[in-house]
Amino acid sequence: MLVEPITLGITGVVILAILVVIGMHVAYAGALVGLLGLVMAIGVTRVIPGEGTWVDAFIAGFNPGIGIAGTIPFEELAHYSLSVLPMFILIGYMAFHARLTQGAFYCMRMWFGGVTGGLAVATVFATAAFAAVSGASTATAAVFSRIAIPEMLRYGYKPGFAAGVVAAGGTLASLIPPSGILVIYAIIVEESVGRLLLAGFIPGILSAIIYAFSIWLRVKLKPELAGPSVNADWGTKFRSLGQMWGIIAVVAIIMGGIYTGWMTPTESGAVGAFVIFCLALAHGMTWKQFAHGLTESARTAVMIITIIWGILILVRFLGFSQLPAEIEGLVMGLEMNRYWILLIILLMYAILGMFMDAIGMLLLTLPLVQPIIISLGFDPVWFGIIVVKMVEICLITPPIGLNCFVVAGVRPDIPLLDIFKGIWWFFICDILTIALFVAFPGIVLWLPNQMFN
Amino acid sequence: MNTTSPPADSVLHKVDQAYHSLEKTLNYVAAAFLFSLMLLACAEVVARKLFNSPIHGQADLVEISIPTMGFFGLAYCQRMAGHVRMEIVINTLKGRAYWLFEFVSNFATIIICGLMIYGSYFHFLRAYEIGDSTMDVELPIWPPKLIIVIGFCILMGRLIISFFGYIQMLRNPDGPVYAVPQKHDIEDVVEAEAEAARNAISDEDVEEELERESRTGARNHEERR
């Protein structure tokens, strides 16, 4: 043979890295390397050893290689499970106009305003509630900067602290369903979309509780960070739930629908989107806002669908090259404790997350990382939640820390440095949360396993 | 970067604008598809749960509509620079060096787009000649496959316009920027999010919220430290 498949695989990965670094779109870079890799991988098996040249191999592999790649956009996309993505995207864009942010914040303030650091605790739980209708972390941070920060500042909360709470709270949207990133993960690793969505629920709530606890502790230690706590009576508390019914309805539809199996994830998403759409109409969404939300949803859907087929062409090539299996064998041969290997993988994500957007980072690495995780005996659903938690950390840590930038963008009066200073407690919280999930995988897996029993 | 408007007599600019209207229209089609998909799925739930009569073939329809959604808006997404990429390196470049990298990326994308047109066309042709259809209600499967080919062809048009756009930028790197996808800094992303949040929650909304708090606060709250 002209060249071993594994050499082709390594070459492909190197070229891919170069293309991505010089700024080519991840989807097209993946597709290009995957397609040409397929051509060569097939070509080298068809030329006579010792006689054929590279050009012969290229010509021999050209039609079959392109033939395989050409089938992928249709064959890999026309799956029912993928149709949940556009529905979730739609919910997120419509939720902007349904006044759900204000309702959630008001309600949580009534319930948690009385505890130490009450407004900040309420903000965290309100972002968690809003996360139930939104899968986008940066958007969640942006809307809560509009609503929660003025309120906290009025009560004398320190600006950096208030901004940090909003930036960290925004990250919860990636975990709590509907979460776009969990669906993408499920499709790439061929896991059940429903299982992953359910798996994100408890860890998302737990993350919010840990955030809230850290706020409480911090304000106890340093009372000047926060303002006075204000308590509402029980009547007000229960009446305030009325402001939340839109969110409660969507949670019930999505979680209930998937959990009981009454509805497919797509149908749950569609009914949820319809409810939010009606709410937005009732709150005076204009035609212009509607059209804008819809075209933005379509564009986001195209972005995600494109990167999925692009990466799947790459995955097909990597399969031919046997690179994933080789790397897996190499790692297994190390005979290291599997938790050390996991730690190394997570550190790699922490570093990559400094340079790349979450979707790109996951799709580029999972084809190689996933087989390792499986053969180490970790549950792929559980790993999905851990990885998304890593993505959340990248959203609040320098140098990118997009959520912090977004909060500073909405509130130019709060210096970015103060926000980053206000965030490091939440960073520690996230590390602790991940450690908790690693130590007790049951936290993640209990709910999805319930569904299947 | 210069933000002056492109020369009025630029053919490239006119072609870009005209082509962008086409892209926008197709993206509207994709958006309409998306909304119809939502309505269809809702209708299916109602029909199945309330009337116990599932809509015949809706799962098949949903499946073949996904490629449609993904490919009608493909060129629009390209023009709006909506795809995921890593910008941290090229954003450090200025002037001609920056445009050179963009030109190279765009050229590589032209290659993959051309190859995909070729590959997906044969995939369509096979389905058309055999008369392949979906599992359940036997909808013909070639139309969505054709849409994928068309989507790639329209993307190709956009990439060729960008090709000339980048050549134009390489010639005159400090001149007006036109006929190429917008550059996205982190500032642009942040500003877009902030703008969306301001759009969703107006200043009056914020005022109203603060006022509501004072009203209920006066009635129900007991302050304690």
Side-chain angles (χ1 to χ4, degrees):
Chain A
M1 210 179 283
L2 261 174
V3 58
E4 290 298 313
I6 186 79
T7 319
L8 276 179
I10 295 169
T11 318
V13 169
V14 172
I15 294 174
L16 177 68
I18 295 171
L19 289 177
V20 169
V21 168
I22 68 164
M24 190 171 173
H25 295 149
V26 171
Y28 296 133
L32 183 63
V33 169
L35 190 150
L36 294 179
L38 277 171
V39 168
M40 290 312 295
I42 296 169
V44 291
T45 61
R46 296 198 175 178
V47 294
I48 304 150
E51 285 180 29
T53 62
W54 285 94
V55 179
D56 296 332
F58 185 79
I59 292 168
F62 192 74
N63 274 326
I66 290 181
I68 293 175
T71 63
I72 288 177
F74 184 84
E75 302 303 333
E76 297 288 350
L77 294 180
H79 284 301
Y80 189 84
S81 62
L82 237 153
S83 58
V84 67
L85 264 173
M87 295 303 112
F88 282 1
I89 296 167
L90 192 60
I91 293 185
Y93 279 104
M94 294 287 137
F96 253 13
H97 300 294
R99 283 186 69 87
L100 296 168
T101 332
Q102 291 99 312
F105 185 51
Y106 177 79
C107 176
M108 290 303 165
R109 215 168 52 205
M110 293 303 119
W111 280 86
F112 297 99
V115 301
T116 308
L119 269 181
V121 171
T123 303
V124 163
F125 285 124
T127 51
F130 188 70
V133 290
S134 168
S137 291
T138 46
T140 307
V143 288
F144 276 92
S145 304
R146 294 281 292 165
I147 283 293
I149 292 182
E151 195 68 40
M152 282 192 270
L153 294 191
R154 205 172 60 132
Y155 273 84
Y157 281 64
K158 290 272 173 293
F161 177 63
V165 169
V166 171
T171 64
L172 295 170
S174 315
L175 216 49
I176 297 177
S179 156
I181 194 129
L182 281 176
V183 177
I184 297 171
Y185 177 91
I187 289 163
I188 292 294
V189 306
E190 295 177 331
E191 267 293 329
S192 142
V193 171
R195 267 182 68 109
L196 263 146
L197 289 173
L198 284 176
F201 189 68
I202 291 177
I205 305 288
L206 191 66
S207 301
I209 293 173
I210 291 175
Y211 280 170
F213 178 74
S214 89
I215 291 170
W216 177 84
L217 187 69
R218 246 170 109 185
V219 177
K220 276 278 180 218
L221 294 174
K222 206 174 168 190
E224 67 268 24
L225 276 178
S229 306
V230 282
N231 206 0
D233 59 46
W234 284 98
T236 315
K237 280 183 181 164
F238 280 104
R239 272 197 304 279
S240 74
L241 284 176
Q243 304 266 340
M244 281 262 296
W245 79 265
I247 289 179
I248 295 171
V250 171
V251 174
I253 291 165
I254 293 182
M255 296 302 294
I258 298 173
Y259 184 80
T260 58
W262 270 30
M263 289 187 270
T264 64
T266 306
E267 288 163 359
S268 308
V271 176
F274 188 71
V275 170
I276 297 289
F277 169 68
C278 294
L279 264 176
L281 278 187
H283 284 298
M285 176 174 62
T286 60
W287 168 252
K288 209 178 149 199
Q289 287 171 330
F290 171 68
H292 183 255
L294 206 55
T295 47
E296 285 295 293
S297 305
R299 197 188 67 169
T300 309
V302 169
M303 181 266 279
I304 293 176
I305 290 173
T306 309
I307 198 168
I308 288 176
W309 66 252
I311 292 297
L312 285 173
I313 294 177
L314 177 74
V315 168
R316 192 68 65 92
F317 158 59
L318 289 178
F320 262 87
S321 78
Q322 296 179 347
L323 185 64
E326 284 287 332
I327 292 182
E328 182 200 327
L330 206 69
V331 173
M332 297 314 285
L334 290 175
E335 294 191 354
M336 263 163 103
N337 185 311
R338 64 176 187 156
Y339 289 101
W340 282 113
I341 298 174
L342 180 71
L343 186 67
I344 293 169
I345 292 174
L346 294 186
L347 283 177
M348 178 196 81
Y349 277 121
I351 295 168
L352 268 180
M354 293 178 185
F355 307 103
M356 279 195 86
D357 150 278
I359 297 175
M361 171 173 98
L362 280 191
L363 290 187
L364 283 175
T365 54
L366 281 178
L368 295 179
V369 170
Q370 184 64 12
I372 300 175
I373 289 299
I374 303 257
S375 45
L376 287 174
F378 291 117
D379 188 298
V381 171
W382 169 86
F383 184 68
I385 303 301
I386 302 279
V387 163
V388 169
K389 203 64 203 161
M390 289 305 295
V391 167
E392 293 187 348
I393 292 184
C394 298
L395 279 171
I396 55 169
T397 44
I400 294 191
L402 197 54
N403 269 18
C404 299
F405 280 94
V406 166
V407 173
V410 181
R411 300 288 309 209
D413 53 318
I414 304 176
L416 190 62
L417 196 64
D418 284 5
I419 303 179
F420 276 121
K421 275 187 198 154
I423 211 91
W424 71 272
W425 274 74
F426 297 109
F427 173 74
I428 294 174
C429 288
D430 280 338
I431 303 283
L432 283 178
T433 315
I434 291 181
L436 209 59
F437 296 160
V438 174
F440 306 103
I443 301 173
V444 177
L445 294 172
W446 178 77
L447 191 62
N449 287 344
Q450 284 293 307
M451 179 180 132
F452 277 70
N453 292 341
Chain B
M1 192 169 292
N2 199 324
T3 50
T4 50
S5 52
D9 58 342
S10 161
V11 178
L12 186 59
H13 179 60
K14 281 180 192 142
V15 172
D16 173 59
Q17 292 300 312
Y19 204 75
H20 193 45
S21 326
L22 169 75
E23 290 164 346
K24 270 192 212 156
T25 313
L26 288 173
N27 194 57
Y28 278 126
V29 175
F33 245 94
L34 206 164
F35 199 71
S36 323
L37 189 67
M38 179 195 89
L39 293 178
L40 175 69
C42 289
E44 158 71 14
V45 173
V46 172
R48 194 176 65 217
K49 294 292 169 198
L50 256 53
F51 303 108
N52 207 12
S53 62
I55 298 171
H56 193 50
Q58 66 91 28
D60 285 11
L61 258 177
V62 169
E63 286 197 347
I64 63 173
S65 68
I66 302 166
T68 314
M69 260 183 309
F71 282 84
F72 261 127
L74 197 55
Y76 177 79
C77 192
Q78 182 75 19
R79 176 67 174 86
M80 303 300 282
H83 287 300
V84 175
R85 63 191 292 206
M86 183 171 141
E87 289 159 318
I88 204 160
V89 175
I90 58 161
N91 276 352
T92 61
L93 301 173
K94 296 250 173 333
R96 195 161 276 145
Y98 173 82
W99 294 114
L100 183 67
F101 274 79
E102 289 285 42
F103 177 82
V104 171
S105 290
N106 187 68
F107 190 74
T109 311
I110 289 180
I111 296 174
I112 180 65
C113 183
L115 293 171
M116 289 307 292
I117 290 174
Y118 183 70
S120 56
Y121 174 73
F122 280 105
H123 195 51
F124 151 72
L125 206 62
R126 272 195 301 275
Y128 183 74
E129 281 168 353
I130 302 168
D132 213 355
S133 61
T134 60
M135 300 286 270
D136 188 17
V137 287
E138 305 195 340
L139 294 169
I141 224 167
W142 62 264
K145 289 185 178 177
L146 181 61
I147 283 168
I148 292 179
V149 183
I150 294 171
F152 276 127
C153 290
I154 295 166
L155 174 65
M156 189 56 120
R158 165 51 61 199
L159 293 170
I160 290 169
I161 293 172
S162 303
F163 178 84
F164 290 110
Y166 287 126
I167 288 184
Q168 182 270 128
M169 291 314 303
L170 280 169
R171 274 205 197 131
N172 185 11
D174 301 315
V177 179
Y178 60 96
V180 294
Q182 305 118 302
K183 186 183 170 187
H184 272 299
D185 287 346
I186 188 161
E187 284 88 21
D188 300 328
V189 177
V190 167
E191 190 37 51
E193 288 287 4
E195 179 59 37
R198 277 194 294 270
N199 185 19
I201 300 171
S202 65
D203 289 333
E204 292 86 68
D205 286 339
V206 176
E207 285 299 317
E208 195 184 303
E209 194 63 21
L210 291 174
E211 243 174 56
R212 173 161 75 163
E213 157 67 26
S214 350
R215 276 203 313 276
T216 47
R219 257 206 326 270
N220 298 314
H221 293 176
E222 48 183 57
E223 296 215 350
R224 57 167 199 205
R225 183 86 207 190

